[in-house]
């Protein structure tokens, strides 16, 4: 019972909203096909459309079959960039920087490079302005459950980001799946 409303207001069908009258909404993320890491030394995602401002990256159980770091590069229509990455990784529990570089060939998870180290990654690439990109990723080391790391970095591209690559610095991945979505 609604005491203050006239009975005539409580009859009939309510109008449906079809979305056409709503403003200020943004579309959700577009997911690319998952890529299996197992048996590969690298996976590359291409075809990001112009104007992408955020890329989400989920990597499950990435493990390399030899001592190697897990790395990532981004690129534009001229190819993958292989220089001028500002990067670092930090042990999350203490905040101690494990490996930093102001002129690297990639972003890398340097501190966990042992064979069969299994890492779960949850990261974002965010466009700052122009073609300037910031990378931030939380990492859980599955076979060392008390360890979490953060790897991060910055890179400016010459043009629009069109591709990204996740790779092992040596050997091949013996497990893992990578999922990428953009907006």
């Amino acid at each position: 019972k609604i005491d203050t409303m006239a009975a005539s207001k409580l009859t009939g069908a309510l109008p449906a909203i079809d979305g056409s009258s709503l403003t200020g909404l943004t579309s959700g993320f577009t997911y690319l096909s998952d890529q299996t890491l197992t048996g590969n030394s690298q996976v590359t995602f291409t075809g990001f459309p112009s104007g992408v401002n955020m890329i989400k990256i989920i990597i499950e159980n990435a493990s390399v079959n030899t001592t190697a770091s897990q790395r990532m590069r981004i690129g534009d229509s001229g190819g993958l960039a292989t220089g001028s990455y500002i990067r670092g990784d930090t042990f999350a529990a203490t905040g101690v920087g494990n490996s930093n570089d102001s002129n690297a060939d990639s972003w890398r998870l340097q501190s966990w490079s042992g064979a069969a180290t299994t890492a779960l990654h949850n990261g974002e690439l965010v466009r700052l302005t122009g073609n300037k990109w910031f990378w931030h990723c939380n990492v859980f080391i599955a076979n060392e459950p008390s360890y979490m790391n953060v790897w991060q970095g910055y890179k400016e591209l010459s043009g629009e980001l069109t591709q990204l690559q996740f790779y092992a610095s040596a050997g091949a991945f013996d497990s893992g799946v990578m999922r990428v979505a953009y907006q």
Side-chain angles (χ1 to χ4, degrees), residues 1 8 12-13 40 42-43 89 93 111 121 138 140 155-156 174:
K1 179 177 174 184
S8 62
N40 296 305
Q42 64 186 30
V43 293
D89 69 312
S111 56
H121 305 260
N138 296 314
F140 173 70
K155 173 74 179 141
E156 184 172 2
D174 52 15

Side-chain angles (χ1 to χ4, degrees), residues 3-182:
D3 289 336
T4 60
M5 189 175 284
S8 62
K9 300 281 186 185
L10 301 173
T11 61
L14 295 173
I17 297 175
D18 65 4
S20 60
S21 62
L22 300 175
T23 61
L25 298 177
T26 59
S27 62
F29 282 88
T30 300
Y31 286 84
L32 302 175
S33 295
D34 290 359
Q35 297 292 319
T36 299
L37 300 174
T38 308
N40 296 305
S41 61
Q42 64 186 30
V43 293
T44 304
F45 290 84
T46 60
F48 293 98
S50 178
V52 166
N53 289 311
M54 182 180 294
I55 300 172
K56 296 230 180 231
I57 298 169
I58 306 294
I59 305 169
E60 291 185 61
N61 300 322
S63 175
V64 181
N65 64 4
T66 188
T67 299
S69 59
Q70 298 178 23
R71 300 179 177 198
M72 192 167 71
R73 289 181 173 149
I74 57 176
D76 52 31
S77 61
L80 290 164
T82 58
S84 301
Y85 286 83
I86 298 170
R87 62 156 203 90
D89 69 312
T90 305
F91 181 47
T94 62
V96 173
N98 296 310
S99 176
N100 299 292
D101 196 337
S102 61
N103 190 21
D105 65 353
S106 61
W107 294 315
R108 63 187 83 152
L109 181 61
Q110 190 68 31
S111 56
W112 290 99
S113 58
T117 295
T118 304
L120 289 80
H121 305 260
N122 176 17
E124 287 183 344
L125 266 169
V126 178
R127 182 196 301 259
L128 301 173
T129 60
N131 295 310
K132 298 173 184 173
W133 290 88
F134 182 77
W135 166 244
H136 180 87
C137 184
N138 296 314
V139 180
F140 173 70
I141 308 302
N143 53 332
E144 294 285 345
S146 61
Y147 290 102
M148 291 194 68
N149 272 45
V150 175
W151 57 311
Q152 59 219 354
Y154 169 83
K155 173 74 179 141
E156 184 172 2
L157 296 172
S158 299
E160 285 280 329
L161 185 145
T162 60
Q163 56 190 309
L164 68 85
Q165 180 183 72
F166 182 69
Y167 69 103
S169 63
F173 291 98
D174 52 15
S175 68
V177 174
M178 185 169 177
R179 177 175 298 124
V180 172
Y182 65 85

